[in-house]
Amino acid sequence: MDTHTYPVTRTDAEWRARLTPEQYAVMRGHGTERPGSCALLCEKRAGTFSCVGCDQPLFESKLKFESGTGWPSFNDPVPGSVENTIDRSYGMVRTECHCARCGSHLGHVFEDGPPPTGLRYCINGVALKFDPAA
């Protein structure tokens, strides 16, 4: 059980009121959206992807790339915006990433991304909102 305290905290009722049922299942229940189901997968404009749970900027569009996985993928997060933990669910060992401000589950990090980082932050689109650059 995660006992870490985050700068933004909400009761379960507040989370359910703020998030759609799918967002709640992914972000608070560590679920995964269906691949290819999110409109943000095809978002190519300049801007910032932020956490739906607390509005924290997470990823810049210039670091988004097409991974062919069916989920938005990024090289690197905004510094300090994402924290990682070990996820041992489903008989696998993976690196989970979550919002550093509210603790919401975002997705997983894999070491099969393009240069320069070699990382692929594979993020559930329902956990993100997009703010186009001005």
Side-chain angles (χ1 to χ4, degrees):
M1 180 170 176
D2 186 8
T3 58
H4 180 74
T5 302
Y6 295 95
V8 171
T9 58
R10 294 186 170 84
T11 65
D12 188 63
E14 289 170 331
W15 281 117
R16 287 182 185 278
R18 181 178 180 94
L19 304 173
T20 68
E22 183 181 23
Q23 288 170 329
Y24 182 87
V26 168
M27 298 174 74
R28 306 312 300 171
H30 299 261
T32 302
E33 69 188 357
R34 252 184 332 103
S37 65
C38 178
L40 292 181
L41 179 63
C42 299
E43 181 60 65
K44 299 194 185 318
R45 295 175 291 170
T48 304
F49 294 86
S50 300
C51 177
V52 168
C54 69
D55 301 321
Q56 167 147 283
L58 299 170
F59 300 96
E60 296 296 330
S61 62
K62 65 185 175 193
L63 296 177
K64 184 175 184 282
F65 64 94
E66 179 53 55
S67 64
T69 61
W71 292 278
S73 296
F74 303 87
N75 283 104
D76 216 10
V78 170
S81 67
V82 171
E83 294 177 345
N84 297 330
T85 56
I86 299 300
D87 175 0
R88 298 181 190 282
S89 62
Y90 304 107
M92 298 181 276
V93 178
R94 300 177 291 173
T95 302
E96 175 197 354
C97 63
H98 56 272
C99 176
R101 185 184 289 167
C102 71
S104 291
H105 171 74
L106 301 171
H108 291 88
V109 185
F110 301 96
E111 295 181 354
D112 61 0
T117 66
L119 298 176
R120 173 174 53 96
Y121 284 79
C122 187
I123 306 300
N124 289 286
V126 296
L128 302 173
K129 68 176 190 169
F130 180 72
D131 299 307

